[in-house]
Amino acid sequence: IFKLFIHPTSPWKTRPSPELLKHLKDIKDIAFDTTIFPEDGNGVNNDCAWGETEISFSRCDLQVLFRRLVARVPFSYAHFDSGEILAKNPLTGTTTRDETQTLSPELQEVMNRTIHAQAPGLVFGIPCKKDESGGFLYEQLLSLDELEKSPVEKTISNLFVDSNYQDARLALLTYVKRNPDRKVHLVVSEEADMEEFELKTGMHPASVTRVPAKDAFPVGYNNIANKIKHHKQGDIVILCAGILGRILAVEWFEKRPKTTYLDLGSFFDVELMGESHGKDYHTANPRLPMCNSPLHLRKHMLFKLIEDTATDRFFH
């Protein structure tokens, strides 16, 4: 059943001040100006290059996407793991990990349309073959090859999790808290505990859309695919809705290219569901390699950027 809750409050109690308007105008230049945040010994201790602004299929892409988020350059991140790759093939049964989605010809058609989308600003997360140790089925390898040929930007599918998880969670929650002028919308399971989520994260979404916990496609998809009038320019939509989240992150961005969409899957499982229903990455060591890369995020520079561009100082 489609359920949408829209929070009645807004940070815009009065017209934005001239100081805030000037700050908003300058944010993009600050985010991408490497002279303001010098490299500080780029390459030392296997640190990611701060000056990099292009996706390079490595864990450093998390840094790139956060800079775009800070700069308020809209994008949509949708990641495709084994279940999504399996869903685009003419097979029966359920998705591989949690068996919450039944495979069908209808789902196959929509997934095929999703992975062939080419809108500017799309970023696809696809599995790193180096991490899978030959664990893909033949049908999945064919689909993975198809994804690799997509003209959209591509990064690793576990970009926000595994050894990036702790940094990604802190950076995202800090950014949302420090920028109250940006509305955040959530798409979650009907079983999600939003009261617990808000308590644990400090995030208070402007709207919450709930979808079925099992077989969200086609029922949940049909109910909410076109209900996006409340997604405005500059808003951030976080999707924690399994395979449906991947589909909607792409389709909605095609319709609302000035809104940012983050398909985060099980990222907030602990806060929403009380436990992780995905991989056990919530205690992963942030120093471990990802996709055979030993590079480390420049956390101090990322958080300095979030601090210097925050808008909360203009609100009381």
Side-chain angles (χ1 to χ4, degrees):
I1 299 175
F2 163 68
K3 295 180 180 179
L4 170 65
F5 167 76
I6 299 182
H7 201 282
T9 61
S10 168
W12 301 102
K13 301 294 184 182
T14 58
R15 295 186 64 179
S17 67
E19 292 80 12
L20 172 58
L21 292 176
K22 182 181 184 306
H23 180 71
L24 292 174
K25 185 178 179 180
D26 293 341
I27 279 180
K28 185 174 180 179
D29 290 337
I30 296 172
F32 291 127
D33 188 345
T34 55
T35 63
I36 298 177
F37 303 99
E39 282 295 346
D40 188 27
N42 179 34
V44 178
N45 298 323
N46 288 325
D47 287 336
C48 297
W50 182 253
E52 183 58 68
T53 58
E54 300 297 326
I55 298 295
S56 60
F57 202 82
S58 77
R59 71 179 302 178
C60 297
D61 293 339
L62 184 67
Q63 217 169 250
V64 175
L65 289 189
F66 265 107
R67 289 182 73 177
R68 293 181 187 178
L69 186 69
V70 170
R72 304 183 180 223
V73 174
F75 67 91
S76 179
Y77 167 77
H79 72 287
F80 301 89
D81 288 315
S82 56
E84 291 74 45
I85 292 174
L86 194 64
K88 75 159 293 294
N89 291 292
L91 302 173
T92 58
T94 59
T95 49
T96 52
R97 183 191 296 171
D98 50 17
E99 299 184 344
T100 58
Q101 178 62 57
T102 302
L103 302 177
S104 67
E106 294 77 18
L107 178 58
Q108 177 199 2
E109 180 182 350
V110 173
M111 281 302 301
N112 268 304
R113 188 169 69 234
T114 300
I115 71 169
H116 287 101
Q118 299 183 19
L122 283 175
V123 181
F124 285 172
I126 64 176
C128 175
K129 291 180 180 178
K130 297 175 184 177
D131 288 344
E132 294 294 336
S133 303
F136 284 112
L137 300 173
Y138 173 70
E139 293 87 353
Q140 291 171 320
L141 282 172
L142 292 179
S143 297
L144 183 55
D145 289 340
E146 221 175 316
L147 275 167
E148 288 175 338
K149 294 174 184 176
S150 169
V152 307
E153 291 184 294
K154 291 173 287 293
T155 185
I156 53 179
S157 60
N158 57 340
L159 185 65
F160 282 81
V161 296
D162 292 336
S163 46
N164 266 359
Y165 166 75
Q166 295 183 41
D167 295 337
R169 183 184 183 278
L170 181 59
L172 181 58
L173 293 182
T174 302
Y175 178 76
V176 169
K177 179 181 179 181
R178 298 298 310 275
N179 292 273
D181 61 301
R182 300 195 74 175
K183 288 185 178 180
V184 177
H185 308 274
L186 252 62
V187 180
V188 299
S189 164
E190 61 189 357
E191 297 178 353
D193 186 338
M194 283 306 302
E195 184 176 344
E196 191 68 13
F197 172 83
E198 293 193 26
L199 182 65
K200 289 181 177 179
T201 64
M203 187 188 299
H204 305 288
S207 75
V208 179
T209 302
R210 294 182 179 271
V211 298
K214 184 173 177 60
D215 288 332
F217 184 95
V219 177
Y221 174 78
N222 291 334
N223 281 337
I224 70 174
N226 295 313
K227 292 182 168 65
I228 55 174
K229 288 184 178 179
H230 56 294
H231 296 174
K232 305 298 184 181
Q233 178 176 345
D235 288 0
I236 302 168
V237 181
I238 298 174
L239 301 103
C240 300
I243 197 169
L244 181 59
R246 289 43 155 173
I247 296 169
L248 294 177
V250 174
E251 289 194 0
W252 283 351
F253 184 68
E254 290 179 316
K255 298 173 182 176
R256 286 283 195 274
K258 294 183 179 180
T259 301
T260 292
Y261 293 90
L262 297 174
D263 159 42
L264 297 185
S266 60
F267 186 83
F268 282 123
D269 267 6
V270 171
E271 295 85 355
L272 289 168
M273 313 300 292
E275 61 180 342
S276 174
H277 292 254
K279 295 167 65 178
D280 185 22
Y281 51 73
H282 295 86
T283 57
N285 183 346
R287 307 300 286 181
L288 291 177
M290 292 179 68
C291 197
N292 282 2
S293 171
L295 297 176
H296 305 135
L297 298 175
R298 288 176 173 266
K299 290 190 296 183
H300 65 294
M301 298 177 76
L302 176 59
F303 282 95
K304 185 180 188 323
L305 177 61
I306 293 174
E307 168 70 26
D308 288 2
T309 57
T311 60
D312 58 348
R313 75 191 79 162
F314 299 99
F315 298 92
H316 300 288

